[in-house]
């Protein structure tokens, strides 16, 4: 099952208090105070009950070193409390003021070519800089001391979208300290990194640098450890500020926002340090797979929240401003995707941002109040969403989303598999994960995500799209799961390397080869872009493998070409191995059959394509992601919480329609 929290701490429930939080990032410092009164009026009209304040306000709070200008924030906090709107108060440390880079140039990060990333944008801080950390702690301390007892405060939001890599000198010194803590001796580091290759052996710690620009390919384990180090250094920055606010307000939950399936943070490790797991979600409204991308992110975030409620910190009410072409959301899509998040466990639905900015780099990024104002379509749709969330909040908040299926995902494996010297640049780990999740989503099967070392015994089916790097503990966990009666399905390039990115003898760990019935993995045969491998009953994409298998374990074979007759899909008892990526319909059908054999079925039978069904607590969410209306069979009698209408046997879902059904007495 999903991991359980290890610390008695405040939670999202302490902020929601039986409501779904609804609102967004609010940047009052960009507007004159008379606009604040207008904002409050519109917030109340839209049902907004939560705003995130102060994310990028460091220069406003501390215009010069040591100065503190809290007057505007005092007024704002009081105004929100007066009108019953809670404040998620952010520490402003994601964007240091210009004076910091000018007075402390060592706080500015450097890229792998040694170029300085100057102020004038955001995230321009070195996570390893002592000066940055000192100033960040000071402003956080003063914020917590001043507002810790303010009645408007409901949650702390630390920094914003941590994502800074740094290859500078302070980072280099911190990297060496991190490596010393991990390996103890240079000799141990040399063994782990395989530095006998290309004469890379280190004679002392002083010789070790970040993986800066090099003449040719870099040592992959060096790069892997630097990614681990970067995630850990950013986590240290988060934890330092979290501990400050927690000391002042142990009863107030703390969060920071993840980005969608972002490669730079080990989010399993990070989530364990948060009271509330929150995420930003920006699928492309023109992407036909946007709803599935949303579902993947929501399943992953819920799983990082130990299966409990989570917070949608940011989404767009309309277009973003960073794609080549930035399309608005068609009518109804904002509502559909907001309710999809609730269906998959969100107890907070928020946006970037409340009011669309008139200046700055994101003035064309949408807001809940767009440039069209309160009469604009965007705000009118926001009002409807706010009203509906208020209507269902007491029935939904705190209830679980249950799943009998877990998808295994792990950042170290992603980092290691993305090395420059891999066998195919066509294989993108994140896209492989998306393909397997999409197959289950299109089969109407709700999934959780899990770390390969989590307790898996509560799941009927565990799928591994691809885990190139697996620790011994993870492999033992998979073996124990299958021995305990579970069904395991693994994709190609799984179990190839150990935690130091050292290829396991035979190209796959011997324990996994025995599990799947593989005598010898002779060769990997990556496929060219657009090429396919014919198999019995389907076509494979991206990859194929020359496998010699035990008798009776081949569930499907390659047909034609170099691999004719070679097993493509293997089954040995409850363990399956898929040595290619079947085309989408084939993968969907394969996983649906395996799931059914494992005792896992969709929430409803006969669901049309494009209709998503999710059970949360005692409620059934039906979401129509199609542009046309559809009729869905729902045996029994129900009531739609959104409209109060009775539903008997069938329900009509219009374009982008949603119903939230509870069984009628």
């Amino acid at each position: 099952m999903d991991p359980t929290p290890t610390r008695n701490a405040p939670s999202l429930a302490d902020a929601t208090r039986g409501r779904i939080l609804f609102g967004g990032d609010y940047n009052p410092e960009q507007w004159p105070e008379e606009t604040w009164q207008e904002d409050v009026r519109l917030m109340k009209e839209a049902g907004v009950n939560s705003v995130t304040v102060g994310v990028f306000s460091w220069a406003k709070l501390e215009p010069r070193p040591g100065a503190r200008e809290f007057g505007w924030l005092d007024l704002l906090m009081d105004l929100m409390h007066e009108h019953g709107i809670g404040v998620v108060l952010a520490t402003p440390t994601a964007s240091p003021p210009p004076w910091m880079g000018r007075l402390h140039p060592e706080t500015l990060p450097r890229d792998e070519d040694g170029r300085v990333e100057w102020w004038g944008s955001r995230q321009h801080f070195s996570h390893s800089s002592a000066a940055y950390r000192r100033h960040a702690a000071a402003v956080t301390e003063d914020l917590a001391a001043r507002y810790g007892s303010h009645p408007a405060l409901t949650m702390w939001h630390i920094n914003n979208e941590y994502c800074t890599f740094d290859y500078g000198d302070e980072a280099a010194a911190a990297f060496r300290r991190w490596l010393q803590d991990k390996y103890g001796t240079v000799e141990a580091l040399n063994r782990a990194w395989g530095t006998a290759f290309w004469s890379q052996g280190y004679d002392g710690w002083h010789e070790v640098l970040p993986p800066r620009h090099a003449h040719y390919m870099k040592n992959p384990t060096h790069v892997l450890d630097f990614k681990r180090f970067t995630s850990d250094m950013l986590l240290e920055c988060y934890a330092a500020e979290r501990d400050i606010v927690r000391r002042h307000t142990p009863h107030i939950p703390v969060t920071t926002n993840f980005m969608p399936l972002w490669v730079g943070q080990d989010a399993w490790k990070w989530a364990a340090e948060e009271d509330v797991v929150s995420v930003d979600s920006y699928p492309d409204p023109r992407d036909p797979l946007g709803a599935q991308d949303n579902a993947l992110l929501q399943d992953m975030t819920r799983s990082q929240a130990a299966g409990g409620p989570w917070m949608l910190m940011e989404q767009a009410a309309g277009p973003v401003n960073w794609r080549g072409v930035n399309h608005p959301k068609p009518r109804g899509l904002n509502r559909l995707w907001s309710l999809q998040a609730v269906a998959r466990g969100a107890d907070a639905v928020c946006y970037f941002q409340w009011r669309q900015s008139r200046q700055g780099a994101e003035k064309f990024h949408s807001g809940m109040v767009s440039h069209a104002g309160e009469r604009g379509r965007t705000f009118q749709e926001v009002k409807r969403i706010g009203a509906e969330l208020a209507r269902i909040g007491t029935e939904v908040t705190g209830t679980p989303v249950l799943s009998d299926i877990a998808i295994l995902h792990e950042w170290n494996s992603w980092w290691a598999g993305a090395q420059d010297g891999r066998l195919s640049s066509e294989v993108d780990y994140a896209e492989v994960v998306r393909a397997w999740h999409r197959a289950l989503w299109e089969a109407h099967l709700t999934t959780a995500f899990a770390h390969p070392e989590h307790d898996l015994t509560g799941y009927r089916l565990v799928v591994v799209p691809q885990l190139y790097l697996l620790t011994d503990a993870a492999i033992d966990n998979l073996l124990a799961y299958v021995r305990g009666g579970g069904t395991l399905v693994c994709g190609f390039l799984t179990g190839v390397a150990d935690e130091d990115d050292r290829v396991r003898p035979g190209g796959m760990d011997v324990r996994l080869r025995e599990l799947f019935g593989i005598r010898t993995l002779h060769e990997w045969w990556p496929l060219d872009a657009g090429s396919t491998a014919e198999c019995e009953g389907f076509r494979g994409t991206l990859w194929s493998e020359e496998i010699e298998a035990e008798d009776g374990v081949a569930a499907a074979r390659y047909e034609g070409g170099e691999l004719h007759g070679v097993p493509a899909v293997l089954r040995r008892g409850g363990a399956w191995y898929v040595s290619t990526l079947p085309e989408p319909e084939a993968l969907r059908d394969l996983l649906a059959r395996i799931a059914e054999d494992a005792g896992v079925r969709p929430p409803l039978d006969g669901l049309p394509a494009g209709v998503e069904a999710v059970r949360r607590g005692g409620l059934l969410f039906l979401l129509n992601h199609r542009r046309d209306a559809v009729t869905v069979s729902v045996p029994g009698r129900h009531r739609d919480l959104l409209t109060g209408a009775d539903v008997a046997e069938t329900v009509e879902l219009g374009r982008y329609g949603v119903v939230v059904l509870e069984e009628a007495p």
Side-chain angles (χ1 to χ4, degrees), residues 1-141:
M1 296 297 287
D2 293 314
T4 55
T6 57
R7 188 179 65 83
N8 184 18
S11 67
L12 185 55
D14 293 294
T16 60
R17 299 167 187 167
R19 311 166 299 170
I20 295 173
L21 293 187
F22 182 61
D25 281 27
Y26 182 34
N27 302 295
E29 66 270 27
Q30 297 178 12
W31 302 91
E33 288 185 25
E34 55 266 26
T35 305
W36 301 5
Q37 298 297 328
E38 179 73 357
D39 286 333
V40 167
R41 179 183 69 81
L42 294 176
M43 286 176 187
K44 292 177 73 66
E45 189 174 325
V48 167
N49 56 33
S50 177
V51 291
T52 301
V53 174
V55 174
F56 296 116
S57 63
W58 199 343
K60 182 77 170 177
L61 293 168
E62 189 177 8
R64 63 199 63 83
R68 292 290 184 266
E69 295 192 1
F70 288 134
W72 67 275
L73 189 51
D74 291 346
L75 293 174
L76 191 281
M77 295 287 288
D78 291 345
L79 180 65
M80 294 297 107
H81 176 61
E82 178 186 345
H83 291 277
I85 299 169
V87 173
V88 179
L89 186 56
T91 63
T93 52
S95 191
W99 58 256
M100 187 179 297
R102 177 177 59 84
L103 297 175
H104 302 285
E106 72 276 14
T107 65
L108 298 170
R110 291 180 178 265
D111 67 16
E112 59 185 310
D113 290 315
R115 295 173 297 193
V116 174
E117 296 181 358
W118 298 95
W119 61 86
S121 182
R122 65 179 193 178
Q123 263 84 24
H124 52 282
F125 64 89
S126 167
H127 49 61
S128 301
S129 165
Y132 166 76
R133 292 192 179 197
R134 185 172 63 252
H135 284 286
V139 72
T140 299
E141 182 76 41

Side-chain angles (χ1 to χ4, degrees), residues 391-641:
R391 199 171 298 141
I392 66 174
T394 56
E395 303 292 334
V396 170
T397 52
T399 59
V401 179
L402 301 180
S403 172
D404 290 323
I405 303 175
I407 299 174
L408 301 193
H409 161 65
E410 208 273 320
W411 268 265
N412 286 269
S413 182
W414 186 1
W415 293 333
Q419 61 189 273
D420 288 340
R422 61 193 186 274
L423 288 167
S424 174
S425 60
E426 294 298 315
V427 177
D428 181 299
Y429 170 83
E431 291 305 313
V432 173
V433 172
R434 285 189 175 96
W436 282 64
H437 182 275
R438 173 189 174 189
L440 293 162
W441 185 77
E442 290 186 343
H444 308 292
L445 297 170
T446 304
T447 62
F449 278 80
H451 187 283
E453 295 180 20
H454 281 169
D455 179 9
L456 304 175
T457 55
Y459 297 107
R460 294 177 181 269
L461 173 63
V462 169
V463 301
V464 182
Q466 183 180 105
L467 285 175
Y468 162 83
L469 181 156
L470 279 174
T471 65
D472 286 341
I475 292 171
D476 288 341
N477 196 37
L478 297 182
L479 299 178
Y481 171 73
V482 176
R483 285 197 299 266
T487 300
L488 174 71
V489 188
C490 284
F492 63 89
L493 273 181
T494 289
V496 173
D498 67 12
E499 60 267 31
D500 293 326
D501 195 14
R502 184 183 293 108
V503 175
R504 301 224 181 228
M508 175 191 285
D509 185 87
V510 63
R511 292 163 291 180
L512 292 178
R513 281 185 276 132
E514 291 174 354
L515 180 69
F516 300 126
I518 299 172
R519 284 200 189 102
T520 307
L521 202 168
H522 289 288
E523 291 288 350
W524 294 296
W525 287 79
L527 302 177
D528 293 326
S531 298
T532 58
E534 294 294 329
C535 304
E536 293 174 335
F538 68 93
R539 282 193 295 269
T541 67
L542 283 182
W543 197 262
S544 59
E545 293 177 352
E546 185 178 351
I547 292 173
E548 181 182 344
E550 304 285 350
D551 293 338
V553 301
R557 297 180 182 272
Y558 292 103
E559 293 186 328
E562 189 71 29
L563 300 184
H564 180 74
V566 171
V569 179
L570 295 83
R571 180 187 184 182
R572 191 173 205 177
W576 294 72
Y577 183 70
V578 184
S579 68
T580 184
L581 180 66
E583 290 183 320
E585 289 187 5
L587 183 59
R588 179 198 65 200
D589 293 345
L590 173 65
L591 293 180
R593 289 197 304 272
I594 295 173
E596 186 171 11
D597 289 344
V600 184
R601 297 187 59 83
L604 286 177
D605 291 329
L607 282 166
V611 175
E612 181 177 7
V614 183
R615 290 196 182 275
R616 182 173 180 189
L619 303 179
L620 175 64
F621 285 73
L622 294 176
L623 305 104
N624 181 20
H625 297 285
R626 301 155 54 129
R627 288 178 172 265
D628 59 321
V630 65
T631 301
V632 179
S633 176
V634 187
R637 299 186 63 82
H638 299 80
R639 184 171 68 93
D640 179 9
L641 294 184

Side-chain angles (χ1 to χ4, degrees), residues 229-274:
F229 156 78
T230 298
S231 178
D232 283 356
M233 288 302 100
L234 291 170
L235 183 55
E236 280 188 8
C237 291
Y238 163 78
E241 296 180 34
R242 176 207 61 196
D243 290 349
I244 291 169
V245 302
R246 186 176 282 167
R247 176 163 39 82
H248 286 270
T249 55
H251 60 293
I252 299 292
V254 186
T255 189
T256 190
N257 47 337
F258 293 144
M259 290 181 287
L261 195 58
W262 188 60
V263 72
Q265 289 168 293
D266 182 347
W268 291 118
K269 196 171 184 178
W270 278 68
E273 301 293 332
E274 294 184 283

